[in-house]
């Protein structure tokens, strides 16, 4: 298994819809293993293939949950069904997210509290489970990556302005920027 570099906001693969996985083979399973290894090295709760420069509809997660779902897994070609997202402003203490592709930053975002996840594992076996609470947030965050969105694209104006100001300050928004988990300092200080 290999730890892969994580792309940073501005890399084109992060900003376009990922393509469906058509072949469940050893190459796919190697990518999935590398994604698990990378997520672990980055102290992440989830990682989508576009975050490692691969425009495929795959994400991995590692999040202890009370749902009838695994604490660690992969979803290939996912489909989500969500509960309604509250129209209330996000709580800056309770609804804060971060992203390995927008490293070191945190902003509040309102998400659905419930998500049904359907898709496939790395062998093409169907998956179907429900995620609630923070686990639902993790799933939605990773799924957004597959549609070319980062959580900062969903922020309310006040936080969106702060995020874009920080991106500019960090020199992000251009292709070719990455960071290497386990080599570069952990941007979230784990």
């Amino acid at each position: 298994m290999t730890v892969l570099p994580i792309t940073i906001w501005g890399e084109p693969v992060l900003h376009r819809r990922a393509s469906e996985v058509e072949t469940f083979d050893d190459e796919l399973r190697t990518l999935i293993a590398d994604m698990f290894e990378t997520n672990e090295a980055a102290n992440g709760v989830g990682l989508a293939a576009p975050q490692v420069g691969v425009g495929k509809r795959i994400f991995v997660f590692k999040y202890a949950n009370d749902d009838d779902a695994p604490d660690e897994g992969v979803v290939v070609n996912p489909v989500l069904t969500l509960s309604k997202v509250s129209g209330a402003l996000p709580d800056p203490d309770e609804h804060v997210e971060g992203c390995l592709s927008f490293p070191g930053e945190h902003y509040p975002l309102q998400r659905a509290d419930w998500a049904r996840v359907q898709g496939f594992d790395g062998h093409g076996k169907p998956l179907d489970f429900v995620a609630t609470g923070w686990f639902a947030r993790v799933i939605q965050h990773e799924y957004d990556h597959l549609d070319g969105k980062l959580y900062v694209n969903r922020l309310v104006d006040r936080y969106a302005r702060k995020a874009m100001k920080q991106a500019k300050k960090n020199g992000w928004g251009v292709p070719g920027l990455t960071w290497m988990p386990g080599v570069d300092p952990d941007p979230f200080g784990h």
Side-chain angles (χ1 to χ4, degrees), residues 36 39 44-45 60-74 129 135 138:
F36 276 117
N39 189 53
V45 294
V60 299
F61 63 88
K62 184 176 181 182
Y63 188 82
N65 65 82
D66 295 326
D67 299 312
D68 188 20
D71 289 346
E72 183 175 58
V74 59
F129 62 89
F135 185 38
V138 169

Side-chain angles (χ1 to χ4, degrees), residues 89-137:
L89 287 175
D91 184 308
D93 296 319
E94 298 293 320
H95 301 136
V96 176
E97 283 187 34
C99 180
L100 297 174
S101 290
F102 208 86
E105 305 301 325
H106 300 88
Y107 300 99
L109 176 64
Q110 199 68 267
R111 293 275 193 185
D113 288 329
W114 179 94
R116 179 180 180 191
V117 184
Q118 295 171 290
F120 301 92
D121 69 10
H123 296 278
K125 179 182 171 193
L127 298 172
D128 191 341
F129 62 89
V130 169
T132 61
W134 270 96
F135 185 38
R137 179 179 293 273

